[in-house]
Amino acid sequence: MSPAPAYDVVVAGGGPAGCAAALTLVQAGRTVLLADAGTGPPKAGEALVSMGRLLLADLGVAEPVLGSGHLPCHGNLSAWGSPELHAVDFLHDPYGHGWHLDRPLFDRRLRAAARAAGAEVAEHTAVRSPSRQSDGTWRLALRDRAGGAGGAGERTVRCRWVVDATGRGAAIAVRSGARRRTADQLTALHLTLDPAPQTPTDGRSLVESDQDGWWYTALLPSRHRLVAYFTDPDLPVAAARGAERFRQRLLATRHISRRARPHGFTTLRPPRRAPAHSAHLDRVHGDGWTAAGDAAAAFDPLSSQGILTALYTGLSAGQAVDARLHGDRAALTDYAAKVTTARTAYQHGHRAVHAQETRWTDRPFWARRQRNLHHNPHS
């Protein structure tokens, strides 16, 4: 029997964090397999803040990834802490404008860049049954979701290190003994509205709070409009998942409804549900593995830092793993400190924003956030 192929690193997860790690490692001369399971519903409506261009430039992929197909975002609007709209524009941002991403296109281009740089990219392939061997290597089963289990649909590989970029589930890290810490239970109810008959000209995102959570809307590059409502899953409003109940609540908003109405509600579907809670691992590295992106630390979408953090932790994890394979035993500790610093900065910002909304402190959603302002400030 021929031995399984060997790589320096297998990266599990083909999103921004996994691609950033793979790019960093292949550029350092490592042999890398990037396995993208491609599971879950397609992502839509995600934004990249202007600083993301710097990280993509550091990876050498800014132009091919951002060159076309995304919609510039020149500012944000919010009705938060007050019914009035407040605007923050990016006119004087030293890094320029942000982007409303065509997320599937963004991820495909990142994987294409990793492939062009020298990584082996396995599409629709999940990493299964990670097993640490006595010689310090990993033995992994790669399952082709198109091919099914067994036969040509599954193969075994070996590697020296694994990067877990599998998202909030952190499948490999948790299997290796890490524990997931969740700060809340925030859930998104979201749907995509059809393009408006006349193309809207305002590409800014909009956030509007209400008594049981908060709304977000943004125009997508396809000219569809994303509308999302964020609340806690145990509240009655979260149980009302039907299209008509969602429509009624949407139309009751002061600002979101004005942007949604031109898109019509003739084909309104029930909203989809997706996790949006803050979470992190109690440790982001272990024996032969390192976590990056949402697997390491997942942030509330209100921060607009998710993709930026994924790119940053992916790049930093790639650098740390390369250094560790060179024998630098402090590299992973330094990486963990970077993740902690990013998470602490997020927590401070998150608390500051929620402290600004004091209109509904008697309602469960906001009462919980107010309690969190005074408890476990460094958890």
Side-chain angles (χ1 to χ4, degrees), residues 165-249:
T166 59
R168 291 172 184 268
I172 294 169
V174 170
R175 186 183 176 106
S176 299
R179 293 188 177 182
R180 200 83 174 127
R181 309 294 191 192
T182 57
D184 55 65
Q185 298 298 319
L186 191 70
T187 295
L189 302 175
H190 63 95
L191 56 79
T192 303
L193 302 179
D194 292 334
Q198 293 183 331
T199 302
T201 57
D202 191 346
R204 293 178 291 182
S205 62
L206 170 61
V207 170
E208 180 176 357
S209 54
D210 76 5
Q211 61 185 5
D212 294 315
W214 54 275
W215 292 86
Y216 170 87
T217 188
L219 197 64
L220 303 178
S222 63
R223 304 298 170 175
H224 290 73
R225 176 171 290 279
L226 175 79
V227 178
Y229 185 61
F230 295 86
T231 188
D232 289 335
D234 63 328
L235 299 182
V237 64
R241 297 178 62 183
E244 184 56 29
R245 293 291 298 275
F246 191 86
R247 176 180 179 274
Q248 291 173 359
R249 197 165 186 96

Side-chain angles (χ1 to χ4, degrees), residues 77-140:
L77 298 168
S78 66
W80 188 277
S82 162
E84 304 303 322
L85 271 185
H86 298 274
V88 176
D89 67 59
F90 302 153
L91 186 62
H92 302 295
D93 190 312
Y95 305 114
H97 62 75
W99 294 266
H100 295 302
L101 297 177
D102 178 332
R103 181 59 193 278
L105 175 66
F106 183 77
D107 288 2
R108 285 198 306 272
R109 285 177 174 171
L110 280 173
R111 290 193 293 272
R115 183 184 287 110
E120 179 181 337
V121 178
E123 303 273 4
H124 306 293
T125 299
V127 175
R128 295 283 185 262
S129 307
S131 175
R132 196 78 165 129
Q133 303 298 295
S134 59
D135 62 358
T137 64
W138 287 92
R139 187 177 181 88
L140 309 166

Side-chain angles (χ1 to χ4, degrees), residues 329-374:
R329 294 191 170 273
L332 293 172
T333 301
D334 294 343
Y335 168 67
K338 289 181 178 180
V339 175
T340 298
T341 298
R343 190 165 59 82
T344 301
Y346 157 74
Q347 288 172 329
H348 287 315
H350 191 258
R351 291 190 183 93
V353 168
H354 282 81
Q356 295 170 13
E357 184 50 88
T358 58
R359 289 177 289 170
W360 300 291
T361 54
D362 60 326
R363 302 289 294 190
F365 180 88
W366 296 105
R368 291 166 181 172
R369 272 76 189 165
Q370 289 295 318
R371 284 197 299 271
N372 287 341
L373 296 177
H374 309 293

